[in-house]
Amino acid sequence: MYRILIKHYPNGSVLLFDRDLRYTLVDGQGLAAVGLSKELLEGKTLWEVSPPEDWQLFETKYRAALAGKENTFEYKYGNRVYSITVAPVENDREEIFAGMLVTQDITEKKQAEIALEEIKNQLEIKYQKRTEDLKTANDQLQKEILSRWRAEKALRESQEQLELFFSQSLDGFFFMMLDEPVHWDDTVDKEKVLDYIFANGRVTKANDALIAQYAGTREEFIGRTLYSFLSHDLTGSREIIRQFFEAGRIHIENENRKFDGVPVWVEGDYICIYDSHGRILGYFGVQRDISDRKKAEATLRDSEETLSGNR
């Protein structure tokens, strides 16, 4: 199961290394974005695959992890910026036998920070000419900066608590399995199959991060049907599932509902699970709550419109 989770880990990658600093397990959807792959890295040492100018940095972090210390830092690779956590991995006897590297692409967050900083600088220049008008804009900007700081603080605290990949993952993952497998081809009535999927697709496994996205409990979550998650927009949801099953996998951003009815935006990657006869057994999903990002994007657009109106 962990290899499936690592393979489909979105927007980043997961690497395990031994005491020789040799990568023993590598995967994640973020590898391809920078021209890397599982085949290029697995079985190779740090010094065989990393730029020489980065050897000292990573060797220091890796050795510290093997000694029991966790580190989180930012690292630029090519034109992307990553948040990297290096942590020890223990066996059942609480002995450290390997280290773990988890990367998360934060390039868009960095770009948003730069854009906000540019807006702040321009507003401060106008402040000398239009004090009263810019006071309101400056107050709003301070609120935006505070909101971003709180979100970053929550992210740092969550990363500090990371012990193993997905038992403590910030991303939610789950298995939605059908009571009985279904065919999805031109021989079936796909509308009837969709009816069956919505009524008989049930969550069989979910981590704490996913349950938290919906503000529910594990007892409420396990066994819950697909219909109960998507009934707020049944027509649109049926079309998404149709496209998903046609392709076998899908990446989407979608507005869902928490158990208390509050909207929640999620970004997710989902892949179908098939049996040996090509029938769909269910699917596996990895998703994250992007409500704060949606709010930040809306705030950034509002700030840009305000700045444009003041010119």
Side-chain angles (χ1 to χ4, degrees), residues 250-276:
I250 195 170
H251 173 90
I252 58 171
E253 293 182 1
N254 193 40
E255 187 182 45
N256 288 349
R257 293 289 185 275
K258 297 184 179 182
F259 289 173
D260 58 7
V262 174
V264 56
W265 273 93
V266 297
E267 176 186 18
D269 290 88
Y270 310 90
I271 183 167
C272 287
I273 300 172
Y274 299 90
D275 66 10
S276 58

Side-chain angles (χ1 to χ4, degrees), residues 18-76:
D18 61 19
R19 291 192 173 276
D20 296 325
L21 307 192
R22 186 179 302 278
Y23 298 112
T24 58
L25 178 63
V26 177
D27 224 321
Q29 295 184 350
L31 292 171
V34 290
L36 297 176
S37 69
K38 171 186 177 72
E39 291 74 20
L40 287 174
L41 298 180
E42 254 183 27
K44 303 291 181 59
T45 66
L46 164 69
W47 303 280
E48 291 177 292
V49 298
S50 298
E53 61 269 21
D54 294 334
W55 287 353
Q56 183 177 0
L57 168 66
F58 281 96
E59 181 175 0
T60 300
K61 303 295 186 183
Y62 287 8
R63 300 289 185 199
L66 292 170
K69 183 179 179 181
E70 181 176 318
N71 280 284
T72 298
F73 59 97
E74 292 183 4
Y75 172 69
K76 185 174 182 181

Side-chain angles (χ1 to χ4, degrees), residues 11-12 28-37 77-80 82 105:
N11 207 35
Q29 295 184 350
L31 292 171
V34 290
L36 297 176
S37 69
Y77 188 88
N79 61 352
R80 311 300 295 176
Y82 294 87
D105 191 333

Side-chain angles (χ1 to χ4, degrees), residues 147-186:
S147 175
R148 181 169 294 277
W149 177 84
R150 287 173 175 168
E152 291 174 352
K153 181 174 182 293
L155 177 61
R156 287 194 299 271
E157 290 174 350
S158 296
Q159 289 175 332
E160 290 170 358
Q161 296 170 2
L162 182 66
E163 296 178 1
L164 293 172
F165 333 119
F166 301 103
S167 61
Q168 299 283 334
S169 176
L170 296 180
D171 293 324
F173 64 87
F174 66 96
F175 286 89
M176 176 79 71
M177 306 303 291
L178 298 170
D179 292 346
E180 297 291 338
V182 298
H183 287 285
W184 186 268
D185 52 36
D186 293 337

Side-chain angles (χ1 to χ4, degrees), residues 187-202:
T187 67
V188 301
D189 183 336
K190 293 182 178 179
E191 289 301 319
K192 290 184 178 179
V193 175
L194 283 173
D195 291 339
Y196 178 82
I197 292 167
F198 272 75
N200 297 279
R202 306 177 193 278

Side-chain angles (χ1 to χ4, degrees), residues 68-188:
K69 183 179 179 181
E70 181 176 318
N71 280 284
T72 298
F73 59 97
E74 292 183 4
Y75 172 69
K76 185 174 182 181
Y77 188 88
N79 61 352
R80 311 300 295 176
V81 181
Y82 294 87
S83 173
I84 295 181
T85 296
V86 184
V89 179
E90 298 178 348
N91 59 22
D92 293 340
R93 298 185 297 276
E94 297 185 351
E95 300 169 337
I96 297 173
F97 70 93
M100 174 180 64
L101 178 78
V102 179
T103 73
Q104 193 73 41
D105 191 333
I106 58 171
T107 305
E108 292 182 359
K109 181 173 78 70
K110 285 294 181 182
Q111 291 172 343
E113 289 175 352
I114 292 172
L116 283 173
E117 186 63 25
E118 290 177 354
I119 292 173
K120 177 184 175 183
N121 292 337
Q122 294 180 41
L123 288 175
E124 287 177 347
I125 293 173
K126 287 181 174 291
Y127 181 79
Q128 299 174 3
K129 299 178 181 179
R130 303 179 62 182
T131 303
E132 191 59 37
D133 289 342
L134 284 177
K135 183 178 183 302
T136 301
N138 191 54
D139 289 343
Q140 181 61 35
L141 183 59
Q142 290 179 13
K143 292 178 181 178
E144 294 166 8
I145 294 173
L146 178 60
S147 175
R148 181 169 294 277
W149 177 84
R150 287 173 175 168
E152 291 174 352
K153 181 174 182 293
L155 177 61
R156 287 194 299 271
E157 290 174 350
S158 296
Q159 289 175 332
E160 290 170 358
Q161 296 170 2
L162 182 66
E163 296 178 1
L164 293 172
F165 333 119
F166 301 103
S167 61
Q168 299 283 334
S169 176
L170 296 180
D171 293 324
F173 64 87
F174 66 96
F175 286 89
M176 176 79 71
M177 306 303 291
L178 298 170
D179 292 346
E180 297 291 338
V182 298
H183 287 285
W184 186 268
D185 52 36
D186 293 337
T187 67
V188 301

